[in-house]
Amino acid sequence: ELLVIILDERLPIREQMSKATHIVLHKHYAAELAPYSNIFHPWVSMLESRDDLGYALASFLPHARSVVEVGVSLGNYAHLLLRTAPQLQFYLGVDSYKQWGEAYIDIANAAQEQQHGNFLAALARLSVFGDRAHILRLDSITASRLVIDESVDLIYIDAMHHYRAVLADLAAWWPKVKPCGLLAGHDFLVDVLHDTVFTVKPAVLEFARKLRLTVFRTCDYDEYPAYPTWFIFKPCATAA
């Protein structure tokens, strides 16, 4: 069954999401999702940037109540996500706040004193959310072992940006995503920008290809350089 939606270009995309995406979701989400799991949800690729994720979450992931963010830094994106997605009742930020060796070329690989300052800044910034927000000061892989499998609705990865680290993060956190949940991350790139080497994109594509799943991404057309967000929806469990 073909569903055609006419968009009003005079309105911001976020004002249309709550209406148009809800129509799409009633066609697929409220019914059996499993047959559509590899193509769900095309609206994700119409998000202008990751800044719109919180606004859209109620439409294309209405059941989401929990989120894990791997790579917190100052807590700016966590603050935006929790502010724009009030449905999220539990946020866990994971960040080692550790300086890595000089071989790791990343603008975020700051001196240890600055890392500790970033940790304190994130704690202060997220304190306004009370018990909704928590930060675990551990490396990604160690922290993943403390999280129960299939227990998190949304996991957002924005940690180390090199190929091997991204693959390791994907392998560690994918089992933690609930069926019908979402694994996503920042910097869907292969590039060198702002003193950072990005090889995120090939790692994400390789991971998804092995699972025979589709990778969606945000548009991010309005600026260069753009740092797109990628999304992989986890297939829903089939009925026994």
Side-chain angles (χ1 to χ4, degrees), residues 63-80:
H63 62 278
R65 297 293 180 269
S66 57
V67 56
V68 170
E69 182 184 25
V70 184
V72 180
S73 188
L74 295 169
N76 293 332
Y77 188 60
H79 187 278
L80 175 65

Side-chain angles (χ1 to χ4, degrees), residues 11-186:
L11 298 176
I13 188 71
R14 67 185 56 168
E15 291 185 16
Q16 302 177 56
M17 286 176 189
S18 62
K19 299 177 182 178
T21 54
H22 193 63
I23 296 172
V24 174
L25 286 170
H26 271 294
K27 305 292 281 188
H28 298 294
Y29 194 87
E32 283 291 329
L33 246 178
Y36 308 100
S37 59
N38 282 358
I39 60 171
F40 183 84
H41 183 289
W43 267 83
V44 171
S45 292
M46 296 184 69
L47 298 186
E48 293 178 8
S49 76
R50 71 174 187 164
D51 292 352
D52 292 322
L53 178 58
Y55 295 102
L57 205 60
S59 293
F60 68 78
L61 208 65
H63 62 278
R65 297 293 180 269
S66 57
V67 56
V68 170
E69 182 184 25
V70 184
V72 180
S73 188
L74 295 169
N76 293 332
Y77 188 60
H79 187 278
L80 175 65
L81 195 60
L82 288 170
R83 179 174 59 84
T84 57
Q87 72 186 74
L88 294 174
Q89 296 303 305
F90 180 83
Y91 166 92
L92 177 64
V94 173
D95 200 312
S96 66
Y97 290 101
K98 174 183 176 182
Q99 181 184 18
W100 301 96
E102 294 183 359
Y104 177 52
I105 305 173
D106 194 314
I107 195 172
N109 191 25
Q112 189 57 51
E113 182 178 355
Q114 183 178 337
Q115 297 282 4
H116 185 65
N118 290 347
F119 171 60
L120 297 178
L123 286 176
R125 186 156 183 74
L126 299 182
S127 65
V128 297
F129 298 106
D131 290 340
R132 287 179 68 200
H134 309 267
I135 296 179
L136 190 59
R137 192 170 181 176
L138 286 174
D139 69 86
S140 171
I141 307 304
T142 302
S144 71
R145 298 185 183 121
L146 304 178
V147 177
I148 299 172
D149 286 355
E150 299 188 348
S151 64
V152 186
D153 296 302
L154 166 63
I155 296 179
Y156 192 89
I157 297 176
D158 189 13
M160 299 181 81
H161 298 108
H162 66 81
Y163 175 83
R164 290 184 179 179
V166 175
L167 271 183
D169 285 341
L170 294 170
W173 288 100
W174 178 253
K176 313 303 173 182
V177 181
K178 289 181 180 179
C180 302
L182 181 64
L183 181 66
H186 202 207

